[in-house]
Amino acid sequence: MDHVISVGMVDVDGFRIPLGTATNFLVDPGVGVGQSAIIHQLTDDELLAKGATPEEALDRVFGRLAGRILLAHHAAIEVGFLAAAVKRLYGITIEIPVVDTLGLGHRALGFGEDHPRDALRLWKLRVRAGLPSYKGHDAVVDALACAELYLALAQELDLTTLGQAIRLS
């Protein structure tokens, strides 16, 4: 079973990113996470010492999402982790409204076109949009990278409302 070990968030207000809202924290899943922690350059000891409990992490995430829409790249992953954690901890099923930059990127590239296998990866879409490269596998950097890509795709696709972004992603 996969676990959330790091959470990164940054707000998008309209068509701007207030960088002071960037937040990053560790989550102690209560079990060793092995290879996943290594990929994110963390250790099980760090997660145990510094990590929020899963309940605290969900409170922080959903507190931040109150009145907002989740923005993510390949949002099925984030939604899947969050929904599974809520189900595991509270025994309920939730739906999370989302804007997915993968869907917007696919729309920008053209659904009927034949694209290279990795064309829809966050970093490839960022290069295509002329955005700078960032080091991956850091939750808050990934959140910022996704937010910037969203703004670029919103401009390219002439999105003027959040409803359009939700519908087209």
Side-chain angles (χ1 to χ4, degrees):
M1 176 185 312
D2 292 326
H3 298 276
V4 174
I5 59 171
S6 179
V7 175
M9 300 180 282
V10 64
D11 292 352
V12 176
D13 290 335
F15 293 105
R16 66 182 193 88
I17 302 167
L19 293 177
T21 65
T23 303
N24 191 30
F25 61 92
L26 300 177
V27 180
D28 174 12
V31 297
V33 292
Q35 191 67 26
S36 181
I38 293 168
I39 290 169
H40 295 276
Q41 301 176 4
L42 301 169
T43 65
D44 286 337
D45 290 341
E46 284 178 285
L47 297 176
L48 184 62
K50 300 177 185 173
T53 66
E55 293 89 345
E56 292 167 339
L58 288 178
D59 285 350
R60 291 174 73 173
V61 168
F62 286 110
R64 187 76 170 266
L65 279 174
R68 295 182 169 274
I69 302 294
L70 177 68
L71 172 66
H73 190 78
H74 201 325
I77 293 173
E78 279 80 3
V79 169
F81 271 105
L82 289 170
V86 167
K87 181 75 172 178
R88 187 172 47 252
L89 293 171
Y90 304 111
I92 61 172
T93 302
I94 62 168
E95 289 190 30
I96 303 170
V98 65
V99 171
D100 191 340
T101 52
L102 186 144
L104 294 176
H106 199 181
R107 184 170 296 277
L109 289 174
F111 286 120
E113 306 294 322
D114 186 22
H115 307 291
R117 187 180 175 112
D118 62 351
L120 294 174
R121 295 183 62 103
L122 175 63
W123 307 110
K124 285 285 192 175
L125 287 170
R126 286 183 55 82
V127 167
R128 178 184 171 274
L131 296 169
S133 295
Y134 294 144
K135 182 180 172 191
H137 296 298
D138 179 295
V140 76
V141 172
D142 290 349
L144 177 60
C146 180
E148 291 174 339
L149 178 60
Y150 167 71
L151 296 185
L153 290 169
Q155 183 175 17
E156 180 180 348
L157 297 170
D158 290 324
L159 301 178
T160 57
T161 68
L162 186 56
Q164 284 179 301
I166 293 169
R167 198 172 46 259
L168 297 179
S169 71

